[in-house]
Amino acid sequence: MARQINRLSPVAVKNATKRGFYADGGGLYLQVSPSGSKSWVYRFTLDKRKRDMGLGPYPLISLADARMQAEKCRRLRYEGIDPIEKRNEQKRQSRLETAKTVTFRFCANEYIRLNRAGWRNPRQAKQWESSLRTYAFPVLGDLPVDKIDIGLVLRVLEPIWQTKAETASRVRGRIESVLDWAKARKFREGENPARWKGNLSMVLPSKKKVAKVVHHPALPYTEVSDFISDLRKRDGLSALGLELVILTACRTGEIIKAKWSEFDLDKKLWTIPADHMKSGREHRVPLSEPALDVLKELKEHSRNDFVLPGNGNKGGSSNMIFLQLLRRMGRSDITAHGFRSTFRDWAAEKTDYQNEVAEMALSHAVGDRVEAAYRRGDMFEKRQQLMDDWAMYCIGLGKE
């Protein structure tokens, strides 16, 4: 006796309210959920494996539509084809077809949009946009993202790899990230042609071999005392700010962004917040007596929350103030940032402090990741003594 099919009627489907499965025959069921919503399910067994395949919600999918879908599934099953796997394959092919119209430019813009909020520095998004617009988009921008191969990536990188090694390396990494994102979104398949290790490393020289390391011009430490004597003859916040840069061995940007709320003068402590640090980690700076004297003088000129206030009543000073000061002093041969190198050379040549103490004073990472994991402290007390000795040397009272 043939198995009965088409058991349900449109009225019965409409009026079904009790939770459960209602058989239409041939593996087609109407499913009623506890909430009363309805959907169609095709149940089948293939290779002794029972499976349920959703066919869509009712009434969006009518009884007639569900029966047509169920019939197609029964035909596939008869041919030994899993209807669910067949549908998944069709979806995959559809995504690949869609990817032919998804460009690299679209993926790059989406990647930046979705990651913008998570980037610590707001300038990062602008740097991404600028570098990709300048170097990648002219070659890759309007191409389907699934068509980008190593040859196209090399067309972007080779013209700048020898002359702009640092920029080229960043562009490569950004292209790699965009293509990884595109693969995760099923817009492309296969290996990432912008990957360095075992890929581009085989056809391009390493960045270290082509990049020229440019160091910030630094004052020899033997001249720092005379320089500060000259600096103290000058009026203005920029001179006080530069002296603070020298005495703390901090980056100029950390001084420019510094606010009075970061300082505890009684405890001789400056706590730089993580979002002001290049490392992204909070950094405690011990303050020597000469540094405290500079801060107290700056406090007398305070107009707002910034240690180095700008011309207005709200903002801070410009990043150019130290460069302009050095030019007025006739010292275009050095930079404010270079005083970190001056401090590091002095610590290595004139003191017996451990290398790790000096590196931590500069907020550099010390050791490998394993060592860092076990090193819980920041050597603050040792750094306090180091910075006191450095300050004495700077004002001419230290050991020669």
Side-chain angles (χ1 to χ4, degrees):
M1 180 177 176
R3 183 171 50 181
Q4 185 179 358
I5 62 172
N6 299 343
R7 301 176 188 174
L8 299 175
S9 67
V11 174
V13 171
K14 182 178 180 181
N15 293 336
T17 58
K18 186 178 179 181
R19 174 185 177 183
F21 287 84
Y22 297 78
D24 185 58
L28 178 62
Y29 290 84
L30 174 71
Q31 180 183 18
V32 180
S33 71
S35 65
S37 62
K38 305 172 186 178
S39 61
W40 298 103
V41 175
Y42 175 66
R43 287 182 162 179
F44 65 99
T45 300
L46 188 63
D47 297 329
K48 298 181 180 180
R49 182 185 178 193
K50 293 183 177 181
R51 306 200 68 185
D52 282 4
M53 179 179 180
L55 301 181
Y58 173 87
L60 181 63
I61 304 298
S62 68
L63 174 60
D65 291 337
R67 284 171 175 169
M68 290 177 60
Q69 290 193 49
E71 176 62 23
K72 292 178 181 179
C73 291
R74 286 192 292 269
R75 289 180 181 275
L76 288 171
R77 190 189 62 175
Y78 177 76
E79 296 172 4
I81 299 173
D82 187 329
I84 296 177
E85 295 299 329
K86 177 68 175 179
R87 184 170 64 182
N88 290 341
E89 174 62 20
Q90 290 173 339
K91 287 181 178 179
R92 190 182 71 84
Q93 291 297 329
S94 177
R95 284 194 296 266
L96 291 177
E97 289 298 316
T98 301
K100 294 180 180 179
T101 63
V102 175
T103 65
F104 178 84
R105 188 192 310 273
F106 170 83
C107 293
N109 289 335
E110 282 296 288
Y111 181 90
I112 294 171
R113 180 181 67 83
L114 293 170
N115 286 276
R116 188 187 301 268
W119 284 331
R120 182 171 59 87
N121 192 332
R123 291 180 299 176
Q124 195 167 351
K126 293 182 180 180
Q127 291 167 351
W128 268 70
E129 291 167 341
S130 176
S131 63
L132 292 179
R133 182 173 60 249
T134 302
Y135 302 107
F137 286 175
V139 177
L140 309 177
D142 297 325
L143 294 178
V145 72
D146 69 323
K147 298 300 182 183
I148 294 174
D149 57 19
I150 190 171
L152 290 167
V153 174
L154 286 172
R155 281 182 56 189
V156 175
L157 299 179
E158 284 181 328
I160 58 174
W161 196 258
Q162 299 283 346
T163 58
K164 301 178 180 179
E166 184 63 34
T167 298
S169 179
R170 291 177 181 176
V171 170
R172 183 209 63 77
R174 288 164 184 171
I175 293 173
E176 181 181 16
S177 294
V178 171
L179 295 181
D180 278 343
W181 179 88
K183 182 177 180 179
R185 296 298 297 267
K186 309 300 183 184
F187 293 144
R188 62 174 285 118
E189 294 183 321
E191 294 296 322
N192 192 321
R195 178 171 49 83
W196 175 253
K197 189 174 182 180
N199 185 48
L200 290 177
S201 64
M202 309 303 293
V203 293
L204 291 173
S206 70
K207 183 181 69 172
K208 292 181 179 179
K209 292 182 178 179
V210 298
K212 295 181 179 179
V213 179
V214 179
H215 297 287
H216 293 275
L219 185 76
Y221 64 83
T222 54
E223 300 177 21
V224 71
S225 177
D226 290 339
F227 180 87
I228 286 188
S229 294
D230 186 15
L231 192 63
R232 288 182 170 180
K233 297 174 184 178
R234 298 176 180 273
D235 296 325
L237 297 180
S238 59
L240 290 169
L242 183 55
E243 185 173 350
L244 192 60
V245 167
I246 298 170
L247 294 174
T248 60
C250 286
R251 297 178 178 86
T252 56
E254 293 157 7
I255 299 288
I256 292 292
K257 296 176 183 177
K259 294 184 177 181
W260 288 112
S261 58
E262 300 170 16
F263 292 84
D264 189 330
L265 301 186
D266 292 332
K267 294 182 178 180
K268 301 181 179 181
L269 175 65
W270 174 21
T271 304
I272 307 177
D275 58 353
H276 289 183
M277 293 297 299
K278 182 179 180 180
S279 64
R281 299 187 303 271
E282 181 183 275
H283 181 53
R284 297 196 304 162
V285 181
L287 299 171
S288 62
E289 289 298 333
L292 288 169
D293 291 339
V294 173
L295 285 164
K296 289 172 183 177
E297 190 170 350
L298 283 168
K299 190 69 172 177
E300 295 175 0
H301 300 279
S302 178
R303 296 195 299 271
N304 56 36
D305 294 338
F306 287 89
V307 171
L308 292 179
N311 293 327
N313 293 325
K314 294 183 179 180
S317 293
S318 163
N319 287 323
M320 296 294 291
I321 62 169
F322 300 134
L323 176 62
Q324 293 167 350
L325 172 62
L326 289 170
R327 286 176 178 173
R328 291 195 299 270
M329 296 176 69
R331 298 307 305 259
S332 297
D333 57 319
I334 60 176
T335 66
H337 188 89
F339 282 103
R340 286 167 58 83
S341 295
T342 303
F343 163 78
R344 190 65 185 87
D345 291 343
W346 166 82
E349 298 289 340
K350 303 293 290 184
T351 79
D352 296 324
Y353 288 99
Q354 294 174 292
N355 175 67
E356 290 86 348
V357 178
E359 288 297 298
M360 279 196 167
L362 293 168
S363 70
H364 287 165
V366 176
D368 57 23
R369 293 183 178 181
V370 175
E371 182 181 352
Y374 284 96
R375 189 188 299 278
R376 301 298 182 184
D378 60 0
M379 297 185 173
F380 186 82
E381 292 184 3
K382 292 182 179 180
R383 291 193 291 117
Q384 178 78 67
Q385 186 60 53
L386 171 65
M387 301 315 294
D388 286 344
D389 289 350
W390 167 241
M392 291 300 102
Y393 184 86
C394 286
I395 63 176
L397 298 178
K399 297 178 182 180
E400 293 297 329

